[in-house]
Amino acid sequence: MDVLSVIVMLALFLLLLAFIFSAGLMTPVIGRKNLLFVVFIGFIAGTVGGAFLISPVYDEIPEIARSIYLSTSGATETVTADVSTSTDIERLKADLASQEGVVDVHSEGIVIKTDKFTEERKRIIEDKIAVIDSNITSWKVYTNGTIILQVKRGYNPVNALENLAEWLMYTGGINTRYSTVKLVVEVKPENVDEVVSYLEARDIVVTGVRGPAEDRVAELKRSLPAKSNIVLFCGVLGVLTGLAGVFIDSIMGFFRKIYMKYRGGE
């Protein structure tokens, strides 16, 4: 939702409140005995306005806040993505590094899915991984065929995959079914959306965006009340607006007395 749409919806809600207030002003015509009617109209109109005018704006609050946080934050945000190893990882990293606002690009690990194997084979794999490729710094091996590797910074993880896949096939006849590389992109806050769009345009799955701005948005979402409470509040606001119209003379008289008392005390 753009800024103009937000302004229009808020303006329409204010017009609705003005209508409710006008209904309250009509009590000298319709009679104060119809006070319950004004309360009913105020609640219904306020609730409808809350549901159809305020709720869509309320849904946009986290995104509006995110835009503000991104434009004012000085720290970088981290975009993570899962990239198939069939992609030219090094070329992709170079292309990303050339994008505006990208501070750093590196691979954080690789997930490999193979045929299932026994517990004994699992222990053998764990013992031999460091020998197969010395650039592999840590690993987790599961008998369901999932192997998670971490490699040295700057090392092409596809090389580690190829070395391990070849060894698995030759020593145990274990097929490598598929694999993905976890790519990490450090981006200036104002360029996060452009980088995410760039990755998605290349059919790359973006798994998350994290950083100071995203953390603040998440905290804001946790602190916001439920939408149903907002709609109910709008209904109560409609009732109060209608009652303000009904008792406007009494309210103005009260404030006038306070003002005159204040003036008299000077």
Side-chain angles (χ1 to χ4, degrees), residues 4-228:
L4 180 60
S5 299
V6 171
I7 294 174
V8 169
M9 286 191 171
L10 291 177
L12 289 174
F13 184 73
L14 290 176
L15 286 175
L16 183 63
L17 291 181
F19 165 76
I20 298 171
F21 184 78
S22 299
L25 290 175
M26 292 177 64
T27 50
V29 178
I30 64 176
R32 289 188 179 252
K33 62 182 180 180
N34 292 309
L35 181 63
L36 289 178
F37 174 75
V38 174
V39 171
F40 175 76
I41 289 296
F43 182 77
I44 295 300
T47 301
V48 171
F52 292 98
L53 297 175
I54 298 302
S55 287
V57 176
Y58 184 73
D59 290 336
E60 294 296 317
I61 289 178
E63 193 59 33
I64 294 171
R66 180 176 178 272
S67 299
I68 296 172
Y69 294 154
L70 288 176
S71 63
T72 57
S73 175
T76 59
E77 302 290 304
T78 302
V79 179
T80 56
D82 285 343
V83 185
S84 170
T85 50
S86 61
T87 304
D88 187 337
I89 302 296
E90 294 304 306
R91 176 63 182 274
L92 175 61
K93 288 166 65 177
D95 290 344
L96 280 168
S98 66
Q99 298 298 305
E100 184 178 358
V102 174
V103 177
D104 180 58
V105 185
H106 64 275
S107 55
E108 201 168 75
I110 183 169
V111 178
I112 306 169
K113 187 66 177 179
T114 70
D115 297 334
K116 294 180 180 180
F117 42 77
T118 64
E119 188 68 34
E120 182 180 359
R121 174 59 62 176
K122 171 180 177 294
R123 288 193 294 269
I124 294 173
I125 295 171
E126 290 174 331
D127 290 341
K128 297 297 183 182
I129 282 182
V131 179
I132 296 167
D133 193 322
S134 60
N135 290 290
I136 299 174
T137 58
S138 64
W139 51 89
K140 293 181 180 178
V141 183
Y142 303 92
T143 55
N144 65 359
T146 302
I147 302 175
I148 303 173
L149 306 177
Q150 299 289 332
V151 299
K152 292 179 180 178
R153 186 82 171 255
Y155 182 67
N156 189 346
V158 176
N159 293 338
L161 164 67
E162 292 174 347
N163 293 334
L164 181 58
E166 183 179 6
W167 182 85
L168 289 171
M169 175 56 68
Y170 286 159
T171 62
I174 300 173
N175 294 293
T176 299
R177 299 183 179 277
Y178 65 87
S179 55
T180 58
V181 172
K182 183 178 182 181
L183 204 63
V184 179
V185 188
E186 299 291 337
V187 190
K188 291 180 180 178
E190 63 270 20
N191 300 110
V192 168
D193 291 337
E194 289 85 349
V195 171
V196 169
S197 297
Y198 177 81
L199 290 169
E200 291 177 342
R202 299 185 63 162
D203 295 326
I204 293 172
V205 179
V206 175
T207 56
V209 180
R210 64 179 187 272
E214 298 298 331
D215 291 342
R216 292 173 70 183
V217 171
E219 184 178 351
L220 174 64
K221 287 180 178 179
R222 289 192 294 269
S223 64
L224 289 174
K227 191 188 299 185
S228 58

